[in-house]
Amino acid sequence: MITDDYGMIEYKNIKRIDFETSSLCNAICPVCSRRANGGLKNERFTETYITLEQAKLWFTEEMLSQLELVTMCGNYGDSMTNPDLILILQYMKSINPEIMFVMNTNASGRDETFWRELGELFYPKGVCIFSVDGLEDTNHIYRRGTHWDKIITAMTSYISTGAKAKWEFLVFRHNEHQVDEATKLAEELGFVEFFAKRPIGFNGDNSINVHGNMGEFQYTIKSPIYEAGEHTSAEISNRGLGALSITEGNKLSTELDKGTIDDINLQLKKSTMPLHPVAWPSNQHETLDPNRELTQREKELSECDINCEAIKDDKIFINSNGLVFPCCYTASIYDDAYGDNTMVTPVRDFINSYGEETISLKHNSLEDIINGEIFTTGWNESFEDRDVRNKRLRACSVFCGKKVKRQDMSDTRNSLIKEKNLL
């Protein structure tokens, strides 16, 4: 039986849309699908943004009137980079003044006017989540290409409108000593919440090599120091101002912190030679043997019930090319930058069996897409199947499988990167 009888996504019931308004971004973060470890550009996605004209065509007054929430996080881009963003949000709110906006951003761009206008549109219910991983001397180590002064301008201009702001802080070895200081700064600036969390793929002793535009090695970013099992990501997240420091109890010395930053700077100075260049894998379809014996992990993913979050929450994801998916996870797998594999290939085969145009807002109305075969029966049939060699999509089991041991997005992605020799 399908997942708690959630049924299927129905057009008239859609209350939330996760909207990737842009695939453009000013930052060059190492663990981002835009580039190979922050280096060579991924040519497998299109840099584009949703225009006001497209938004008006895609979202009818009827649809906007029933929406409660529009989130803007995205798989590839930062909504801040969309030149029509303010106009799009103004249009949406002119139809539905009660609509709530939530947006994630690195905040290193645009001017004071933009951030004030954004705050005015978000006030009083909306929330802007500032993804800033450190202070002036460390944020740029992971959020490469960002500028501290621009970030502070964005924060202060937005918050001056009275709109709610939250600070999301990814904790690494080079910035873990700054959690308490950043928490204090967040409170001084007027943030309603600060939360520090361990980033995707940085559990245990994991690290990632950062590469330059020519694929050359530049420096290594390391996981934070912590005692095994002391703090999990869930324990650290969502604690509000005064959030638990990931290094609490470890008494990490400032000398060691400074040494970590100095080591990164030293590596960067030596990065003139193209050592260990990272390139994108070929875009070849990976043939999966339907008769292979299932591994224990594959049995777990095959047999679990799917508790589809999209169906449960009456939401959908629309990417920057106007493709409609149940969630950002399936969209990210479909467009995955690290090449075809046992998780990506089935999703692509599944979508292509119906035709990409059947989920495209450039060819169909949103209502027709949701009422089409892929949404009315296709996704549910994949949930109901009990074999990842057949219709069951392991991506759905990984993200929404009941009682699945969570080799979730962090472990799955890290494993995938290792498979493609990108670390």
Side-chain angles (χ1 to χ4, degrees), residues 330-390:
T330 48
S332 67
I333 295 298
Y334 182 70
D335 289 327
D336 196 274
Y338 294 109
D340 292 318
N341 57 85
T342 56
M343 192 152 69
V344 176
T345 293
V347 173
R348 287 186 177 159
D349 287 348
F350 171 72
I351 297 294
N352 291 333
S353 69
Y354 293 90
E356 185 182 84
E357 69 279 358
T358 64
I359 61 168
S360 173
L361 287 166
K362 295 177 182 178
H363 296 88
N364 308 277
S365 70
L366 180 56
E367 184 172 10
D368 286 342
I369 291 172
I370 300 302
N371 290 335
E373 185 180 2
I374 190 170
F375 273 91
T376 56
T377 60
W379 290 106
N380 285 1
E381 286 180 354
S382 72
F383 300 157
E384 292 170 341
D385 193 274
R386 296 289 177 171
D387 193 331
V388 294
R389 296 170 299 187
N390 192 25

Side-chain angles (χ1 to χ4, degrees), residues 195-211:
F195 52 102
K197 67 179 184 180
R198 196 168 298 125
I200 291 173
F202 284 83
N203 297 315
D205 295 326
N206 290 344
S207 63
I208 186 169
N209 291 333
V210 180
H211 292 251

Side-chain angles (χ1 to χ4, degrees), residues 71-346:
T71 57
M72 293 163 282
C73 182
N75 290 324
Y76 285 101
D78 191 313
S79 283
M80 165 192 68
T81 64
N82 185 327
D84 282 359
L85 181 66
I86 296 297
L87 296 175
I88 290 171
L89 300 185
Q90 287 174 339
Y91 163 67
M92 289 182 167
K93 206 159 187 180
S94 70
I95 304 301
N96 181 356
E98 298 303 313
I99 199 167
M100 177 178 175
F101 299 125
V102 176
M103 183 176 110
N104 294 66
T105 180
N106 68 62
S108 180
R110 308 303 292 262
D111 58 16
E112 296 179 30
T113 299
F114 170 87
W115 292 106
R116 282 197 298 269
E117 289 179 342
L118 190 75
E120 289 165 0
L121 284 165
F122 277 41
Y123 182 83
K125 296 193 298 184
V127 179
C128 187
I129 301 172
F130 290 81
S131 300
V132 180
D133 313 318
L135 299 174
E136 184 172 9
D137 62 332
T138 57
N139 180 60
H140 62 279
I141 292 174
Y142 179 74
R143 299 279 170 182
R144 301 195 326 152
T146 62
H147 301 277
W148 185 254
D149 289 344
K150 292 182 179 179
I151 292 169
I152 293 298
T153 295
M155 289 176 169
T156 55
S157 300
Y158 173 87
I159 292 174
S160 70
T161 66
K164 296 183 181 70
K166 297 183 180 182
W167 185 331
E168 179 184 62
F169 186 113
L170 299 183
V171 185
F172 301 95
R173 183 82 54 88
H174 62 265
N175 67 7
E176 58 187 342
H177 62 293
Q178 296 179 327
V179 170
D180 291 337
E181 187 178 352
T183 302
K184 183 179 178 181
L185 177 59
E187 192 166 16
E188 291 173 353
L189 291 174
F191 280 83
V192 299
E193 185 177 348
F194 176 96
F195 52 102
K197 67 179 184 180
R198 196 168 298 125
I200 291 173
F202 284 83
N203 297 315
D205 295 326
N206 290 344
S207 63
I208 186 169
N209 291 333
V210 180
H211 292 251
N213 290 336
M214 301 304 293
E216 74 278 12
F217 166 79
Q218 292 193 324
Y219 55 88
T220 301
I221 294 179
K222 298 180 180 179
S223 295
I225 292 176
Y226 64 96
E227 294 182 13
E230 176 159 78
H231 302 312
T232 65
S233 182
E235 290 172 334
I236 294 167
S237 297
N238 301 321
R239 287 180 174 267
L241 290 167
L244 173 69
S245 168
I246 199 169
T247 57
E248 187 173 89
N250 292 333
K251 297 181 180 178
L252 188 62
S253 71
T254 55
E255 288 77 13
L256 179 57
D257 299 333
K258 185 176 184 301
T260 301
I261 299 172
D262 288 345
D263 180 57
I264 290 174
N265 290 331
L266 181 61
Q267 291 182 69
L268 191 57
K269 288 180 181 179
K270 294 180 177 179
S271 67
T272 56
M273 296 182 64
L275 302 175
H276 311 298
V278 174
W280 290 110
S282 62
N283 188 19
Q284 294 180 347
H285 184 278
E286 182 172 328
T287 302
L288 304 177
D289 181 5
N291 299 313
R292 71 188 182 284
E293 184 176 351
L294 292 175
T295 66
Q296 187 59 41
R297 175 61 173 170
E298 287 177 326
K299 289 179 181 178
E300 180 185 17
L301 297 178
S302 295
E303 296 167 3
C304 67
D305 289 331
I306 302 295
N307 187 358
C308 177
E309 293 295 324
I311 294 175
K312 183 177 68 174
D313 294 337
D314 295 317
K315 65 182 180 181
I316 56 174
F317 177 85
I318 299 174
N319 77 3
S320 58
N321 283 312
L323 300 181
V324 183
F325 296 84
C327 61
C328 64
Y329 302 123
T330 48
S332 67
I333 295 298
Y334 182 70
D335 289 327
D336 196 274
Y338 294 109
D340 292 318
N341 57 85
T342 56
M343 192 152 69
V344 176
T345 293

